[in-house]
Amino acid sequence: MKNPIKITITGAAGHIGYALAFRVASGQMFGPDQPIILRLLEIPQALSSLYGVGMELEDCALPLLHDTVLTDDPAIGFRETDYAILIGAKPRSKGMQRNDLILENAKIFAMQGRSINEHASKNVRVLVVGNPANTNALIASANATDLHPRQFTSMTRLDHNRALGQLANKTNRLVADITRMIIWGNHSMTQYPDIGKCLINGTPAYDLVTRDWVIDHMIPRIQRRGAEIIEARGLSSAASAADAVVDHVRNWALGTQEGDWVSMGVASDGSYGISEGVVFSFPVTCKDGEYEIVQGLGLDNLDQSRLKTSEKELLEERAIVKDLLPKGR
Ligand code: NAX
């Protein structure tokens, strides 16, 4: 029997956390032979609800779930953890400006970065989901001064999966037939869903759909998909977000398929002219718990201007939180 993997989920009593915990504990993230210890972290006001999640996990009698820790103390929540999935964040309240929301959340992620640095496994892998996810990942990473920025990523896999769904639907093919989707940039309205390199059973996607459809329908629909779901359900995406978390971490830990890649928000190393350090979504391949940004993809002027627009937004976000970034990060 393998040693259990410790996985921390913050905001575990929230909508995404609730959808995620059961999937992780049932083996969907790391496979059917990998025991799991869950460390579920919440704020004090949500502890009662978290205890309910704990009871339900117990009632599932999941054979892979070796232990569940329920806490509002980050030192306990992150203790020796191998994977930290940071979902818990402050929602926008009425009248709150975007900059205030970024700053409020920045404080949470700065504190969590320091706590992860102090308490987690030195090989911890961190996925930030709570918005603004890219900049929160930057803040957490910058405050985890003994850890490498490559240990911190942010989630654009939901956008990636949304784009796969749209393209499969439009071309009447299966999602499994499509490879090489890309989401570039920020998890926000400036993200760039790029099907320019996509293959559908080996055929370039642009042989099967028109540019007008991509520019006028697909891209704006993915950029606004979150709002479309809120309008329909009265609630934000939760099951699909949890599904994307499972995909992101599984690929990071266990690898991507030969000949394909996935989208992840990672610290830019200057690839494609993006400023170093900002957490930007790139196409990446993964192997043995490490990712590599896919290099050498051709970008036309329109592609480049879309990347620059998203980079500009991320640089503005970084400027807003600069006081929470230790010098040089
Ligand atoms: P909920 O409001 O349902 O849940 C958030 C939970 O986090 C709450 O239970 C709250 O008590 C907890 N929390 C708040 N501060 C915390 C802290 N400091 N430590 C631990 N727990 C804390 O939101 P939910 O729908 O689950 O969404 C969570 C976050 O994911 C939001 O920021 C949301 O914007 C973001 N999303 C990011 C996505 C992405 O692709 N990156 C997509 C889905 C989602 O919109």
Side-chain angles (χ1 to χ4, degrees):
M1 169 88 66
K2 292 179 176 175
N3 285 329
I5 289 182
K6 298 184 192 73
I7 302 162
T8 302
I9 301 175
T10 74
H15 290 105
I16 299 172
Y18 182 72
L20 178 65
F22 299 86
R23 298 194 57 172
V24 175
S26 64
Q28 292 179 41
M29 189 176 264
F30 291 103
D33 62 347
Q34 177 57 64
I36 302 288
I37 293 175
L38 278 183
R39 296 182 169 273
L40 306 182
L41 179 63
E42 261 294 351
I43 49 175
Q45 304 89 298
L47 269 185
S48 165
S49 173
L50 187 67
Y51 293 145
V53 177
M55 285 184 237
E56 284 204 71
L57 280 163
E58 191 178 348
D59 294 349
C60 290
L62 295 161
L64 292 174
L65 185 58
H66 282 207
D67 194 14
T68 307
V69 177
L70 310 171
T71 183
D72 62 355
D73 180 352
I76 296 172
F78 292 123
R79 185 177 296 160
E80 293 171 4
T81 203
D82 301 301
Y83 290 87
I85 301 168
L86 309 185
I87 301 173
K90 251 204 176 135
R92 195 173 191 147
S93 52
K94 213 171 167 197
M96 196 183 218
Q97 298 302 309
R98 181 171 166 272
N99 287 11
D100 297 335
L101 181 73
I102 292 174
L103 270 177
E104 280 300 309
N105 277 303
K107 289 179 210 151
I108 295 177
F109 287 83
M111 179 279 286
Q112 290 185 348
R114 289 192 293 274
S115 187
I116 289 169
N117 191 57
E118 194 174 338
H119 301 287
S121 153
K122 290 300 161 216
N123 289 319
V124 66
R125 297 286 187 272
V126 181
L127 167 60
V128 177
V129 177
N131 278 319
N134 299 53
T135 295
N136 288 340
L138 169 70
I139 294 160
S141 167
N143 282 276
T145 44
D146 302 325
L147 302 178
H148 198 280
R150 286 178 58 85
Q151 291 172 259
F152 290 77
T153 61
S154 70
M155 191 167 91
T156 46
R157 186 57 174 270
L158 178 55
D159 309 293
H160 181 105
N161 288 348
R162 285 168 171 167
L164 288 174
Q166 291 299 312
L167 189 57
N169 210 358
K170 179 71 179 171
T171 55
N172 212 13
R173 305 294 170 94
L174 299 175
V175 161
D177 296 336
I178 306 174
T179 54
R180 306 190 175 190
M181 180 63 75
I182 308 175
I183 303 294
W184 300 98
N186 200 2
H187 171 68
S188 74
M189 290 287 286
T190 68
Q191 67 171 272
Y192 175 33
D194 177 8
I195 70 155
K197 316 293 176 286
C198 274
L199 298 174
I200 308 185
N201 282 331
T203 303
Y206 269 125
D207 288 359
L208 302 172
V209 295
T210 64
R211 276 181 196 274
D212 283 353
W213 175 76
V214 174
I215 290 171
D216 297 337
H217 295 276
M218 192 192 118
I219 294 176
R221 193 161 190 208
I222 292 160
Q223 289 170 332
R224 296 195 193 107
R225 184 65 156 187
E228 191 182 348
I229 289 176
I230 292 174
E231 208 175 305
R233 286 182 80 225
L235 291 168
S236 57
S237 325
S240 54
D243 182 72
V245 172
V246 171
D247 286 349
H248 179 117
V249 176
R250 191 182 57 230
N251 282 139
W252 194 4
L254 306 180
T256 42
Q257 298 282 335
E258 192 64 38
D260 199 4
W261 58 60
V262 294
S263 304
M264 279 169 48
V266 302
S268 173
D269 58 359
S271 293
Y272 298 97
I274 300 303
S275 307
E276 276 185 44
V278 290
V279 174
F280 193 90
S281 180
F282 288 102
V284 300
T285 55
C286 304
K287 199 177 172 198
D288 301 329
E290 299 293 340
Y291 68 79
E292 296 301 332
I293 298 173
V294 177
Q295 297 295 331
L297 300 174
L299 298 176
D300 64 21
N301 287 342
L302 189 63
D303 294 334
Q304 273 167 4
S305 79
R306 286 187 186 266
L307 264 65
K308 284 288 160 199
T309 302
S310 210
E311 180 200 33
K312 181 169 172 275
E313 182 182 48
L314 284 165
L315 290 171
E316 285 164 7
E317 289 183 12
R318 183 164 78 177
I320 294 168
V321 300
K322 65 178 186 318
D323 291 344
L324 288 160
L325 299 173
K327 272 207 168 69
R329 297 293 285 272

